[in-house]
Every structure is written in structure tokens, then in C-alpha cells.
Amino acid sequence: MLAYLIRRLINAVLTLLVVSLVTFGIFFMVPKITGSDPALLYIGKTSDAASIEGIRVKMGLNDPVLVQYGKFLKGLVAGRDYVSGPEVTHCDAPCLGYSFKTEQEVTPLLMSVLPVTLSLALGAAILWLIIGVSTGVISALRRGSLLDRTVMSAALFGVSMPIYFTGLIASAIFVYQLGWLPQGQYVPFLESPSEWFTQLLLPWITLAFLFAATYARLTRANMLETLGEDYIRTARAKGLPERVVIGKHALRSGLTAIVTVFGLDLGALLGGAVLTEKVFNLRGLGYQALQAIQGNDLPVILGVTMIAAGFIVIANLVVDLVYGLIDPRVRLA
Amino acid sequence: MSLGPEASVTDETSAPTADAAEVRGPAEKAIAGRSLKQIAWRRLKKDKVAVGGGIVVLLLIVVAILAPLLTKLFGHPIDEYHIDQIDPTFGTPIKPWGGISSDFIFGVEPTSGRDVFSRVVYGAQTSLTVAFLSAFVSTILGVIFGTAAGFLGGWIDSMISRVMDLLLAFPQLLFSIALVSVLPYSILGLDGRWSRILVLVGVIGFFGWPYIGRIVRGQTLSLREREFVEAARSMGARSPRILFRELLPNLAAPILVYTTLIIPTNILTEAALSFLGVGIPPPNPSWGGMLSDAISTYQTDPMYMIIPGGMIFITVLAFNLFGDGLRDALDPKAR
């Protein structure tokens, strides 16, 4: 088990390295090819040649790309000093550099918006997991019934709706027509738990609607496959109550696929629910990423991509470990 | 092998039927087996929902191809402003329901008064072109790398599998947004619309291939060990022949199903990118872009949000229904 764990960990770190290298390469190479100068982006077009050169030296933009990448990595692990003549600016680890636009340090900037994305993703995840899996199981058990067909039609609708369309319709109805929910801004949990909840309720439901639909379809398919297996017949034949057959035998094996998908989905969402954040004007990681992309703010783009990739890699790792717990066969491999 | 995989698919699916009939003799010809194609076609025809989805898909394709003609017959040029249709104080259409009238059958755009019908029809063209071409790119790459990994095995397999895992670990939407936004607006001397379509096809197609690649690799791995491959090899068939005549025909069904199912995902991705402002550049119409414009006006003019959103929904739903039906028809186990 330990060897397995170590192997997975090394894999995860390698993946992150490659993702960072590719991101770094693309976003620092493309401006070179298209002829836009990162130093100019940083300091603004009106500056004189000397101060532009000063920025280049300070930010290390004159170094070859690989050296720049090396410094970026060092900053990530050990922190980094920006030297400009006698002036030294220290950036603590994990250092993701400075925003070209606002000159803020990227790491604290992103950490400050992380709670928004975390609240959004975790709340929605709880909702869709409960709704999706339970309706999927019930549908599978009552296969062909009116309930099954209704749920599956609804689920097909759900997976075919673009999330921003659902979001717009939902806020048109619940915020503007009925006035049941406030329109507006994210409120931190510690400031006012009840406002935090009501502000996030609609985004949660919107996100959960899409994912619950996917999960209901997946759970149903997996349950149906499992229920057809011989060992389920054996369990029934030896007189186990239906509750145990379903709960202990069928659900457990049907769950493995759900765990995988859930991990990946949650990991991807934590890196920024770009569309949902845009529709509901939530200023989380996804919103920050969009702002950065529109403003060509390379360090912030790189930072968000790294955090997002980090979440996906960690989610993968956790999924592999949980998988080992649910399915003993995996541990041997 | 100048024929290529597609030619051999039809070859192979009909060949066994003919062989079997010959061996059995004319008397038994009545029970000669049907090819997978015939069986699947029969099943598909019985599936009313899938047929419905298929018809809608065909209709949309026709609309996309005939976009210039339809615009001429029932609409107005996509960039023609009709300020007379707009209330000057509020910027909303004068007529109710988003300005729908016999002249503007889907209403007019708030503020500018452009014809929504024409923009929706051209949006269909953009959306379907991107979705189909990127599905094609994903499929080609997925099949090449998937079969290479499964068939050749060894270090090639572990290399390709690593790359696939890595691509799946990329924050794809984020990366696509960033990538599309740093690429130049005009490439290969094409205008804004078509060069962006090419960029979108490239990016969406590239991130989609691991999904097909994984499935193809898995299928190839299991097919490689089957008796008929062994038989072919023992008769002296070389690798290219085994690959193109034995393996690919058997891979045709899953490839077809997953290509069909990747199309709705691509439509959603294209719409999402345009919605976020990095897809098709304005003033060229796209469904996602229209929805994004609708954000500022949907409280007063909901029709302008409902029409493009509804188009995306109907299109994606039709492809999903058709794809699910196709999968059930080709693979009776997965129901």
C-alpha cells in the first residue's frame, strides 16, 4: 500500500510539473511570437525605454524561457527575490509572481477569492451527489416505471441545458419575477451565515441540476449492470433481505465509478466554475481567470491554471486512494 | 492499403455474410446472418425517440447549409440595423415578445434591432461546423493514438497513455479560454469568423481526443488477443492488414457512437467559449455570444435570451437522443 501511495504521489507531482511547463511555455512563448512584450504589459505603453528595461531585469524577462521557468519553480517552492538596483522585493513561497495589471502578489490575490469558489463548488457537490445518486438508484430499482421514465427524461433535459442558460432562466424567475432570492454578491460565511446561504442557493441549484442529471444517468446505468450480476442473485438466493442486497452488495460496486467521476468533477470545479461564476457574478477563481485572460495578465493566468491543475491532480490522487478502500482488488495492482 | 479504414469497414461487414452463405450452401441461405449494420439499422428504426433526434439533427444540418438562402427568404442581412424596431428610451424592441412579427419571425436584437432569425441561422452554421470538425479531429487523433497504443503496446503504449492522462488532468475549459485568447485573430489569411472557427476546431478537437483514444485503446487491447486475429496472423497476415482489415472494422461501432456523443459536448464548449467572449468574434453571430449579450437585457426582454438558449438546448438534446439510440442499437448490452 505504501509503495502504491508513493508511486501515485510521484505521478501527481510529475503531472503538475508538466502542466506548469506547458502553461508557462505557451503563455510566455506566444507573446514573443505575436510580438507583444510582457514588460510593456506590466508597466504600460507610455513608459520610457529605461524603465521598461528595468522591469525586464527585475522580472527576469531577459532570461531564456527555461531559466525563467526555473526561477518560477524556485519561487513556488522556496520564495523568490525581485532585485531592481538597490531595491529588493521578496515574495514568499508559494510565489506565483506579480500581477501585470494590479501589481499585487498573485498568491494572496488568488487565496482571497478561493473561498468563493470553494463555497460554490462544495455546496453544489453535496447537493448533486445526494440528488443524483438517490434518484439514480431509485430509477434503477423501479426500472421502466413512470417514475423512472420521468426522472430519466428530466436528467436528459438537465445534461442538454447549457449551465449559463439554466442560470439565467433561474435568476429571471426566482430573483426578478418572484423576488424570492436576492440578486447580488457573495457574502463570506463568517460575516453572515444566513446571507452566505441565500446568496449561494441559486448558483448551487443551477450547478447541481446539471451534475445531478449526469450522476442520475450514470448511477442508474451502473446499478442496472450490477443488479444483473451473478453475485446479486446469489445474495438474494441465500435469503439476504433486499435492503442488504441493494445497500451492501449492489450499491458498493456501483459506487466505484461514481467516486471516480465525482473526484474529477469536483477537482475541475474547484479550479474555477468559470461559467457559473460569470452568470451569477461571483468573484471566485473562475472570474479572476476571465479578468486575467481579458487583460493579458500572464502571471495570474498561470497562477489560476496551476491551482486548477493542482486541484485536479489532488482529486485524482484521493480518488485512487478511496478506490482502493472501496474495491480491494485495486490495492493489489 | 490505399483504401483506408472507411472503405474496409463496408468491405468487412458484408464479407462474412457472403462467406457464411457460400459455406452453408444455397438451401440454407434463408437464415444467413445479418451484418451488424443491418441489425443496428433495424433496431435504430424501431427507436422512435432516437429517430426523432436524428430528424432534428438532419433538419439543423440543412438549416446550417442553407443559411444564406433562408436569410434571404425569411430574414434580413445579419448586420442590418433596424433602429425603427427599437424603443429609443429603453433600447428594447417596440413590439411585444422580443419584437416578433411577420417581418422578424424570431424578433429583433435589443438596442441594435438586428434580425434574430438570421443570426440564429448563421449561429447554427458556426455551431455545427465547429462541433462536427472538432469531433472529426478528436476521432482521427483518438483512433490513431488509441490503436497505436493498444496494438503496439510496450513503451509506445505507456507514452500515449501518459499523455492521455495528462491531457485529462488539464483544466480544460480554463486552458481553452486562455489558449484561444492568446492566438491571433486572423490566421492563414482567413477573415475573423473562419479563422476563429479553425482555432476553435483545433482547440476543442485536441482536448477531445483522449476520450476517444482511451476507448479505442481498450477495445484494441481486448480485440488483439481474440482468435480471429490469431487466425489471421497464422495465415501470414502482416500488421497493417490485421490493423486495417481485422481490427478497425470491429472498432467502427464504438468509434461511431463516441464520435456522435462527443458532438453535443463540442456544441456546448463552443457556445461556452463564445459566451465568455473568446469564441466567434462579434459582429459574427453565435448562439453563445447572443446569450452573453442577453445577460444585460434579459430582465426586460427575455425572448432574446430564450431563443439562442433554446436553440443550444434543442440541438444538444437532439444529438444526445440520437447518440444514445445509436449506442443502444449498436451495443445491445448497454441499455
Side-chain angles (χ1 to χ4, degrees), chain B residues 257-290:
Chain B
V257 168
Y258 284 95
T259 307
T260 315
L261 287 175
I262 212 176
I263 289 174
T265 319
N266 291 348
I267 291 175
L268 285 175
T269 313
E270 184 272 320
L273 290 174
S274 296
F275 176 77
L276 293 171
V278 294
I280 304 300
N284 299 298
S286 69
W287 295 342
M290 291 171 84

Side-chain angles (χ1 to χ4, degrees), chain B:
Chain B
M1 247 359 263
S2 61
L3 284 173
E6 255 145 87
S8 59
V9 170
T10 44
D11 244 29
E12 195 67 19
T13 39
S14 53
T17 336
D19 284 353
E22 261 173 37
V23 173
R24 283 201 200 101
E28 279 177 87
K29 212 165 189 177
I31 53 159
R34 283 187 228 122
S35 72
L36 176 67
K37 232 194 211 166
Q38 291 166 318
I39 298 172
W41 180 237
R42 266 163 205 251
R43 282 209 206 101
L44 193 63
K45 270 195 297 190
K46 271 192 219 148
D47 189 344
K48 293 243 163 54
V49 182
V51 171
I55 290 173
V56 174
V57 166
L58 279 180
L59 214 67
L60 284 163
I61 294 174
V62 171
V63 165
I65 293 172
L66 297 181
L69 184 70
L70 288 172
T71 311
K72 217 172 229 163
L73 287 178
F74 304 108
H76 304 259
I78 47 170
D79 273 340
E80 206 172 86
Y81 281 43
H82 299 274
I83 305 292
D84 53 317
Q85 300 286 324
I86 299 295
D87 186 326
T89 23
F90 299 108
T92 50
I94 295 171
K95 297 194 179 112
W97 299 101
I100 290 180
S101 62
S102 56
D103 200 16
F104 296 91
I105 48 181
F106 280 2
V108 291
E109 194 182 58
T111 323
S112 67
R114 290 185 292 193
D115 184 13
V116 173
F117 173 76
S118 308
R119 297 185 72 76
V120 160
V121 168
Y122 271 94
Q125 199 177 51
T126 312
S127 193
L128 292 186
T129 310
V130 172
F132 273 99
L133 288 183
S134 51
F136 184 70
V137 170
S138 300
T139 306
I140 297 285
L141 289 174
V143 169
I144 291 175
F145 288 113
T147 44
F151 190 64
L152 300 173
W155 66 271
I156 297 178
D157 180 25
S158 40
M159 274 279 286
I160 294 175
S161 300
R162 249 323 130 68
V163 172
M164 289 197 284
D165 286 347
L166 190 78
L167 276 174
L168 294 173
F170 260 72
Q172 291 191 3
L173 184 62
L174 210 60
F175 213 78
S176 309
I177 301 167
L179 201 56
V180 173
S181 67
V182 292
L183 290 171
Y185 258 99
S186 172
I187 49 170
L188 303 172
L190 291 163
D191 66 0
R193 180 171 181 230
W194 288 100
S195 64
R196 258 301 106 133
I197 286 181
L198 270 191
V199 166
L200 288 175
V201 166
V203 171
I204 298 174
F206 179 72
F207 279 115
W209 77 261
Y211 294 97
I212 306 245
R214 272 189 164 184
I215 287 149
V216 171
R217 172 179 173 271
Q219 292 282 324
T220 312
L221 272 179
S222 72
L223 284 175
R224 197 177 64 173
E225 309 299 329
R226 294 270 288 275
E227 287 84 354
F228 67 89
V229 175
E230 213 173 307
R233 205 177 285 275
S234 70
M235 285 190 290
R238 284 158 206 253
S239 289
R241 192 193 156 83
I242 291 176
L243 200 59
F244 287 107
R245 305 289 298 224
E246 309 292 337
L247 292 180
L248 269 182
N250 283 294
L251 288 170
I255 292 172
L256 187 65
V257 168
Y258 284 95
T259 307
T260 315
L261 287 175
I262 212 176
I263 289 174
T265 319
N266 291 348
I267 291 175
L268 285 175
T269 313
E270 184 272 320
L273 290 174
S274 296
F275 176 77
L276 293 171
V278 294
I280 304 300
N284 299 298
S286 69
W287 295 342
M290 291 171 84
L291 263 179
S292 163
D293 292 341
I295 287 188
S296 53
T297 54
Y298 74 99
Q299 296 156 47
T300 46
D301 180 16
M303 273 321 268
Y304 186 57
M305 165 190 85
I306 290 169
I307 287 175
M311 285 305 290
I312 301 177
F313 169 63
I314 291 169
T315 312
V316 172
L317 184 67
F319 272 103
N320 276 333
L321 289 173
F322 181 68
D324 281 359
L326 196 63
R327 184 190 53 206
D328 292 349
L330 283 169
D331 179 11
K333 251 194 334 186
R335 261 206 298 163

Side-chain angles (χ1 to χ4, degrees), chain A residues 262-323:
Chain A
F262 179 70
L264 295 179
D265 283 343
L266 186 61
L269 263 190
L270 286 173
V274 185
L275 295 166
T276 317
E277 285 177 23
K278 170 156 177 167
V279 170
F280 292 102
N281 198 22
L282 292 165
R283 313 213 155 171
L285 279 177
Y287 177 86
Q288 207 56 249
L290 270 186
Q291 293 291 105
I293 287 162
Q294 272 152 19
N296 263 325
D297 200 346
L298 299 177
V300 180
I301 300 176
L302 187 61
V304 179
T305 316
M306 286 302 295
I307 292 184
F311 275 123
I312 295 177
V313 167
I314 293 169
N316 262 319
L317 196 64
V318 174
V319 162
D320 282 343
L321 298 181
V322 173
Y323 217 95

